Each structure stands twice: as structure tokens, then as C-alpha cells.
Amino acid sequence: MTTLKLPKRFAFCVPYGSDVHPTIESLKGARVLVTGASTGIGEQLAYHYARLGAQLVITARRGNVLEQVVSKCLEIGAQRALFIPADMASPSDAESVVQYAIEKLGGLDYLVLNHIGPSPYRMWDGDVEHTRWLLEVNFLSYVQMTQKALPALEKSNGSIVVVSSLLGKMCGPFALPYAATKFALNGFFGGLQHELAMQKSNVSITICILGLIDTDSAMEKIKGYINMTAYPAHEAAWHIIEAGASRQPETFYPWYTFYACLFRDWFPYLRDQAIQNSYTYNPQVNK
Ligand code: NDP
């Protein structure tokens, strides 16, 4: 297959990640903390890192499921794999997970923030408490873990990888509290990228903008609301790892998410019509 290569001077007009040669070998022995690793994309992240020979700490709430993921990670090549159950709705849990990983691994090279709390997929019902709780799980815990991990990451020239969503860049119906937490992540970590660069920090932040991925939880949610292609979780996870390893500031998977963001504000009326028409809304069924 021939690939079209643009001269370096045109790099500014190429989406992040289209011509990057990841330093995947550097992940052998890397000390990695992955959150939300009991299922879905987080579980796939753990398996890829394991195959690459990383040293892993994984976390989520269900210890029994994490235990199985850890066994598989060790089978397929992880140098080390440990788990710590934690509920990210609790600020003290978020902190102690980072502390545990740094202690057990003797430092940290990658903080991969991926977990999300369950949130209903439906018209917003006015539940403010749920929105507050979800902000704690999906956003504030990311901030807290970052604050706790930054000194260790500074020492190791490490990286923070933030798993976000197209719904953190473009508004859509039925997932308002979730989308709010993703917009918050993009705002916070996008700003932190500037501050770290201005301070000449050697810590990189990669923000991953994902479209629909075929995890059980996502497939279950969208059933009956929208019919669109879901991309494989193991591919999404690989893309995230490559982007993190090559220290890209922002990455998009699958391909259409880049163009959706690029053209987002060009024709707002048409965009909003297209978004609304792509969903099924039947007030009797989709309450
Ligand atoms: P899943 O729902 O499959 O997995 C969520 C993970 O978070 C699980 O490991 C779950 O484990 C853990 N978790 C849930 N609640 C808590 C909590 N309170 N404290 C700690 N851990 C918790 O999610 P996906 O794999 O689908 O998504 C992964 C990431 O990708 C998310 O950031 C999501 O926003 C993003 N993304 C996904 C898309 C998709 O279509 N799938 C699209 C765009 C972005 P446990 O229950 O054991 O706690």
C-alpha cells in the first residue's frame, strides 16, 4: 500500500496522529495506571499494554472482575499487573489509587484516565444530583488523580492520557450530564496543556476524542435511539496507546470524529438538523 506523505512544512494542516510513528517499544517496562479497566475500552487498553510488556496497575469498582483482567494481563506478557478496587465518586479513593500505583511500581510513566460512571441515555429529566455525582466521577476524579500524579510524571517525563468523546466537542441529545463532563475534561486538560507547555514541563497530555465504540455499555445505551456504525474497542484502545506513546496533544478515532470537529461550526443550522434527524425520538418509548 502506498501512503501519501506531505512534506513536513505542511504538518500544521494534518490531523494530529496521521503521520506519527509511535515509540511503542518504549512501553516495555513502562509503569502504567489505567482506570476503568474492568470492561470495555479500559480492559482492551490493559491487554494491549500487557502484550507490550508494561507494568500495570488497573482500577475500577469491581475487584473480582479486575482480578480476572490482571490474570489475563500476566498470561499475555505484562511484566507486572496489579489491581486496586476504587470508587471514583470518592475523592479519597481517587487519591489512594495514584498513591498505590506510584508505590507499587516505583514511579509512574503513564496515567491513563478512562473510567466513566453509568449514566442513563434519555431526555434530561432534571436530575441535578445525578449530574453533580457524574461530574465527580467523570471529571473531578480525573483532576484529582492528575494533581496527585504530576510530581511522579515530572520525574519520569511521563504522560497523561485522557479518554474523551466527540460528545465533549459537539452537543447532542440524550446524554447531557455525560456530555457536560466530557466538555469539562476537554476544557480543563486543553488548558493544562497550555500551562505545562508555558512552564516547559516535560509531561505530555493526550486528549482522545472517540466516536461510537462497540463496548457493551455503549451498545446497550444507544439501542433504539440511533443506528450508526460502532468501531471496535480493541482498535480504539490501540489508537489511544499509540497517541499517548507518541505524545500527541489530541487524537481522533475513528476518522470521522476529526472531520466532525473540523467542520463543526461551518453550517450550524444544517449541523443541528443532521444531528436531530439522526436520532429516533418517540415520546412513548424514549422517555
Ligand atoms: P464502560 O462503561 O465499558 O466502562 C466503564 C469503566 O469504568 C468500567 O471499567 C467500570 O467498572 C468503571 N467505572 C464505572 N463507574 C465507576 C466508578 N464510580 N468508579 C470507578 N470506576 C468506575 O465504558 P467504555 O469502555 O465504553 O468507555 C471508556 C471511555 O471511552 C470513557 O471515558 C468513555 O467516555 C469513552 N468513550 C466511549 C465511547 C463508546 O462508544 N464506548 C464513545 C466515546 C468515548 P466498574 O463497573 O467495575 O466500576
Side-chain angles (χ1 to χ4, degrees):
M1 193 178 79
T2 46
T3 48
L4 179 68
K5 274 204 157 185
L6 282 176
K8 272 225 158 56
R9 65 178 176 281
F10 293 122
F12 70 90
C13 63
V14 174
Y16 287 134
S18 63
D19 187 29
V20 177
H21 303 291
T23 50
I24 284 293
E25 310 78 45
S26 68
L27 291 170
K28 198 173 172 70
R31 298 159 299 181
V32 183
L33 168 57
V34 183
T35 71
S38 60
T39 51
I41 297 168
E43 182 185 358
Q44 298 304 318
L45 284 167
Y47 297 148
H48 286 314
Y49 279 120
R51 280 189 205 96
L52 293 163
Q55 306 184 65
L56 277 168
V57 167
I58 62 170
T59 186
R61 288 168 306 176
R62 289 167 297 160
N64 57 332
V65 187
L66 290 172
E67 200 172 358
Q68 291 167 16
V69 177
V70 154
S71 304
K72 189 162 171 197
C73 286
L74 290 168
E75 261 168 45
I76 61 181
Q79 267 185 25
R80 297 180 73 188
L82 303 158
F83 72 92
I84 172 168
D87 184 346
M88 293 298 169
S90 147
S92 60
D93 275 21
E95 253 193 63
S96 51
V97 165
V98 177
Q99 204 170 333
Y100 175 86
I102 293 171
E103 272 170 28
K104 294 287 176 188
L105 302 177
L108 196 63
D109 298 302
Y110 286 91
L111 171 64
V112 184
L113 298 168
N114 164 77
H115 63 274
I116 44 167
S119 188
Y121 198 77
R122 59 172 183 231
M123 284 274 168
W124 189 55
D125 59 3
D127 188 346
V128 178
E129 259 327 295
H130 172 71
T131 310
R132 201 188 311 278
W133 173 84
L134 202 67
L135 271 166
E136 187 70 56
V137 176
N138 290 11
F139 172 60
L140 291 173
S141 69
Y142 281 45
V143 173
Q144 184 141 28
M145 294 181 85
T146 296
Q147 183 266 337
K148 192 80 187 158
L150 264 174
L153 294 170
E154 289 282 0
K155 271 194 202 142
S156 65
N157 295 342
S159 303
I160 300 169
V161 177
V162 179
V163 181
S164 188
S165 167
L166 189 56
L167 281 179
K169 292 274 198 180
M170 286 176 73
C171 300
F174 303 132
L176 276 51
Y178 170 81
T181 67
K182 293 299 185 186
F183 266 88
L185 283 180
N186 291 342
F188 182 87
F189 285 96
L192 190 57
Q193 282 174 335
H194 287 301
E195 293 195 358
L196 292 179
M198 290 160 82
Q199 294 171 79
K200 308 245 179 298
S201 163
N202 51 15
V203 176
S204 70
I205 298 180
T206 300
I207 301 174
C208 309
I209 307 301
L210 303 185
L212 184 62
I213 310 299
D214 67 357
T215 60
D216 292 346
S217 63
M219 293 298 91
E220 187 53 40
K221 271 184 195 156
I222 62 150
K223 212 164 42 185
Y225 283 93
I226 191 165
N227 192 3
M228 67 185 282
T229 306
Y231 285 71
H234 65 92
E235 250 182 60
W238 184 254
H239 186 93
I240 291 166
I241 290 174
E242 282 188 335
S246 47
R247 302 172 81 88
Q248 296 169 54
E250 195 170 35
T251 190
F252 297 84
Y253 177 88
W255 61 272
Y256 69 80
T257 56
F258 173 75
Y259 294 98
C261 292
L262 186 64
F263 297 122
R264 185 185 64 179
D265 298 325
W266 285 28
F267 305 104
Y269 175 79
L270 293 177
R271 173 200 64 204
D272 291 347
Q273 292 303 306
I275 289 174
Q276 286 158 32
N277 290 333
S278 63
Y279 290 88
T280 304
Y281 176 57
N282 175 349
Q284 303 311 317
V285 183
N286 316 111
K287 294 236 161 63

